Amino acid sequence: MEMEHAVIQQQVVEYPEEHEVEVDVDNIMKTEVAYGSGVHSTAFRYKHKKRSKVWEEYKPIFLNGKVQFAECLYCHNRLSCKDSNGTSHLWRHQKICPAKSEAAAEGQQKDSYFPYVLVNGDGPVSPIDPVNQIISETLDDIGSATPSRFKSKVWKEFTPIYVEGKLQAADCIHCQKRLSANKFGGRSHLSRHLLTCPGRLESLHNHHKFLFEPSSAPSFNSRANDELSPALTNGKVQIAEYANKLPRISTSGDTIHTIQPIQMVPAHPPPTSDGASLKKQRTSFTNISTDKSAGKFCQETSYQELAKMIILHAYPFSVVEHEEMRRVIKNLNPIVGMVSHNDMKDHCTALFQKEKVNIKDVLALSCRRVSLSASIWTPDGPEPTVNYLCLTAHFVGDDWKVHRVIIKFGMFWSSPTNLERIIHCKEASVPESESGPYNVMWDAIRDWNLDQKILSLTSVGDVRNNANTVKLKEMLIEKKCLPIRGKLYNIACLDDILNSVVSAGQADILRFVGDAVMEFFVAHASSPSAQQQLLEVISQMSLKCPQEDAKWWHKFYFRLEVLLHFKKSFPSEEVLNLEDMNVAESICKILRMFYRVIEVISCPSSVTANIYFNEVWKVRTVLQEEASNGNGEFSRMVMEMQEAFHGYWQNTYLWLSIPVVLDPRFKIGFIEFRLKRAFGTNSESYLSDIRETVRELFNEYCNPTDLPSAASNSAALDADNDLLEDWDQHLNEQASCQISTELDDYLEEGLVPRKDEFDILNWWMNHTTKYPTLAAMAQDILAMPASAVQSEAAFNSSGPVIPKHYSTLNIKTIEALVCARDWMR
């Protein structure tokens, strides 16, 4: 006993100044230390200075007896904190700490640490212990002595712990964790602990146990060595990490918590001459920092994955604040901190910006020209007060595959009466007279550096017929941004045209067979046996049932197909009279062709442009056949539909024919065959126009790369003394004649045999060396789209829609969500 007293006294005297530590506290704590049979009252004091409130947000970390770092209680980042640094950087970190705003919103933050570190001993309490035995008192024992201190409801779930008659700690009755509880510490940290206490959550959630990976579940020995670091160094109080975790002993029967005696020992032994202790401390700190960095990286990854989930499934940002979502994530990984909806919006926007940079690089390096398509989107719901313009880029990349990416999502039109959006999103309305195709498309062209790379534009009627779209085309032609003077620009969307053609005959179609079809389904839905027959017929059909919000003609076509299949399956059943049945078959034939063509051209896999001509020709053929069937009123209706379709043909036959010329299975001969059979002697004007346009486009592709430029050659010479301009012109003409033989050789070469699995892009990739200019031309031409929307939206009555909750966001956020979702698919 005397020897132990001498050792402790020697340590206190030998290192009186080296281990002095400046720690901000409100009061000086005194500890009674027992020596021998008597009690010697010695006061161990902090070096006192005025306390900064910023330390309420940080945990001081000591190395060599001095404060070296401050650990944020919210995000656990460590900041340097030496005497000369001050605390201004700690204040700045609190203003931008992402975890602090989250903790304030949800009331969950790390538990407070025990203000001085205690190491439990295994032996019994004896008079030589520096600190007397800790006495555990219940609320019943002390309620009468200090009734005001335990009025808080939090004490129903904590056991107060006294040292020398003074309250110093509180034990959680669920997990037995010990937290500080002196009269200066408050009780809020106890409430926060209950929100995250694993023992309490276990009892609330049917004793659900958290599963940890072996590497993340430290043993008791590691906790005793690493987390319960000692507290006193030569009479100075040391604050160590995880000091609130004190070991407990519990029995297997009734839960009895045995409080072990506590002994204070030096926090850091005196440094040796070889510096081994300092090296060990530095190594320990390095390992802790590495673990923290690994945890932060994992958390950032979790946020990114959560952002991807929100974008792909169009969830609202507020889903991260739903109690159920927080509970699921905490159960999966308690380490991951939750974020607010504003933080998640920032994560989604950052993800969009990152992907945008990558796609910009692809567009800049992987293709010569791009084709654009423009469609109108609306918020999901009745009577939208805002329309959006979606601009998509189509191109063939270096992999010789067709790619389509949304590059712009902007405001097309918004109602001036939509006051709520003006207030919440702080966006001005866009009247119909100032609708935004010009601004949206021109902004996208400049943002993505496409002013010299545009080949074509395919757009829906609202965009194509807008005066601002025509204005944009004229401006692009003036700036020489469009090839062949914009002949391929602002082409009508084919599915939009077919919808308008059907709409032209809607009244007559419903008048002819609408009532008869309705009577058939009413009759077969009234009895169980007839209904069973109907369902049996539908199950045998390969046709997909339309959605509830499908276009009217799509629903009507499905009913006609069911009716005709029912007639074949049950020939004895009287379905319709003979005349109505013939009309129903003719109408179904027309609508069936429209449906299949839209399915092909709006396929999500992005088909190549060489197939469009044949699909359009199918529509033209079926209309021509049904117009000449001899039924007077019905024939007149089909002729009206033919007239509406003929307008589309006149405006797009060049656009449809050029990709066919670049198909080695057909070339120009297929076009001649079709047009001569359809138009006779009038076909020559079409053929002449097609040949001239193909050659003109080919020459434009030759000039930038293969032909010497007279302007560039003469720029190096004196403008007044250039006597070789005629020679340069002669060289250009000669080179043009030589290169034009590439086109002639291709057209004169034999046709490639037709195969079911023919890949036209692969063919051109393999013939790039033989036809370099034509291959570059085909790479751009074959990516032109015939439809501006995909199939799921092509049959929708309202067209493409965005989730209803998107309409409460500003346009920049909506653009980020729509574009990022398209890029991730």
Side-chain angles (χ1 to χ4, degrees), residues 292-486:
K292 292 292 182 181
S293 300
K296 181 179 180 182
F297 173 79
C298 178
Q299 186 153 281
E300 288 300 321
T301 303
S302 301
Y303 292 156
Q304 291 183 6
E305 293 300 323
L306 190 57
K308 290 179 182 179
M309 181 191 74
I310 290 175
I311 292 173
L312 283 173
H313 298 280
Y315 295 140
F317 292 127
S318 59
V319 72
V320 298
E321 297 177 345
H322 293 174
E323 186 62 29
E324 296 78 8
M325 173 64 77
R326 292 181 181 273
R327 189 181 303 121
V328 168
I329 293 178
K330 285 296 183 185
N331 286 344
L332 292 175
N333 189 350
I335 300 175
V336 177
M338 294 306 299
V339 293
S340 66
H341 72 280
N342 286 328
D343 292 334
M344 186 49 58
K345 180 170 69 174
D346 294 339
H347 280 289
C348 293
T349 304
L351 191 61
F352 158 73
Q353 294 294 347
K354 179 181 178 181
E355 293 298 322
K356 182 177 180 179
V357 172
N358 296 335
I359 296 178
K360 273 188 174 182
D361 293 339
V362 172
L363 284 174
L365 301 175
S366 301
C367 61
R368 295 168 59 94
R369 288 187 179 272
V370 300
S371 296
L372 303 177
S373 63
S375 58
I376 300 298
W377 293 41
T378 58
D380 192 10
E383 298 182 3
T385 58
V386 60
N387 289 340
Y388 304 96
L389 189 146
C390 179
L391 195 65
T392 305
H394 307 255
F395 62 94
V396 173
D398 289 339
D399 57 354
W400 285 88
K401 301 293 182 183
V402 179
H403 301 274
R404 58 176 304 279
V405 291
I406 296 177
I407 62 173
K408 186 67 177 179
F409 198 85
M411 189 76 69
F412 180 76
W413 166 82
S414 62
S415 172
T417 61
N418 192 354
L419 183 62
E420 293 78 14
R421 178 173 182 83
I422 297 175
I423 295 174
H424 292 306
C425 301
K426 298 179 175 59
E427 295 173 347
S429 62
V430 182
E432 290 188 25
S433 59
E434 301 176 3
S435 57
Y438 182 94
N439 295 331
V440 174
M441 288 192 288
W442 181 235
D443 287 346
I445 291 170
R446 289 183 298 179
D447 183 24
W448 291 77
N449 300 317
L450 300 179
D451 51 327
Q452 297 298 324
K453 302 186 70 171
I454 302 176
L455 177 65
S456 70
L457 170 68
T458 303
S459 54
V460 297
D462 291 339
V463 178
R464 185 180 67 258
N465 301 326
N466 192 284
N468 289 320
T469 305
V470 178
K471 179 182 176 182
L472 178 61
K473 178 179 179 180
E474 294 173 353
M475 187 268 288
L476 292 174
I477 294 175
E478 183 180 354
K479 291 179 176 291
K480 298 182 179 180
C481 298
L482 301 177
I484 54 175
R485 301 179 304 281

Side-chain angles (χ1 to χ4, degrees), residues 634-653:
F634 179 76
S635 296
R636 283 194 295 271
M637 180 200 73
V638 178
M639 291 177 65
E640 292 178 0
M641 298 172 69
Q642 262 189 309
E643 185 177 353
F645 181 78
H646 184 70
Y648 172 77
W649 166 258
Q650 288 294 115
N651 293 326
T652 60
Y653 72 92

Side-chain angles (χ1 to χ4, degrees), residues 57 128 159 228 240 247 270 328 332 353 391 418 435 450 456 578 580 585 633 669 677 723 726 732 741 745 806:
E57 318 288 347
I128 65 170
T159 301
L228 303 178
V328 168
L332 292 175
Q353 294 294 347
L391 195 65
N418 192 354
S435 57
L450 300 179
S456 70
L578 182 60
D580 289 344
E585 289 178 351
E633 293 186 8
R677 293 193 64 177
L723 303 178
D726 55 344
N732 287 346
T741 59
D745 291 344
Y806 277 17

Side-chain angles (χ1 to χ4, degrees), residues 576-642:
L576 298 176
N577 61 52
L578 182 60
E579 182 179 357
D580 289 344
M581 181 61 70
N582 291 335
V583 174
E585 289 178 351
S586 297
I587 293 176
C588 186
K589 184 178 179 180
I590 295 174
L591 297 183
R592 182 187 299 121
M593 184 58 63
F594 284 19
Y595 176 81
R596 292 178 178 176
V597 168
I598 292 178
E599 266 195 328
V600 170
I601 65 171
S602 60
C603 177
S605 59
S606 299
V607 295
T608 49
N610 58 305
I611 71 169
Y612 301 152
F613 182 93
N614 197 43
E615 296 300 318
V616 171
W617 202 262
K618 291 177 182 178
V619 175
R620 181 186 179 279
T621 301
V622 72
L623 290 176
Q624 188 175 13
E625 290 176 354
E626 296 303 323
S628 57
N629 69 354
N631 189 330
E633 293 186 8
F634 179 76
S635 296
R636 283 194 295 271
M637 180 200 73
V638 178
M639 291 177 65
E640 292 178 0
M641 298 172 69
Q642 262 189 309

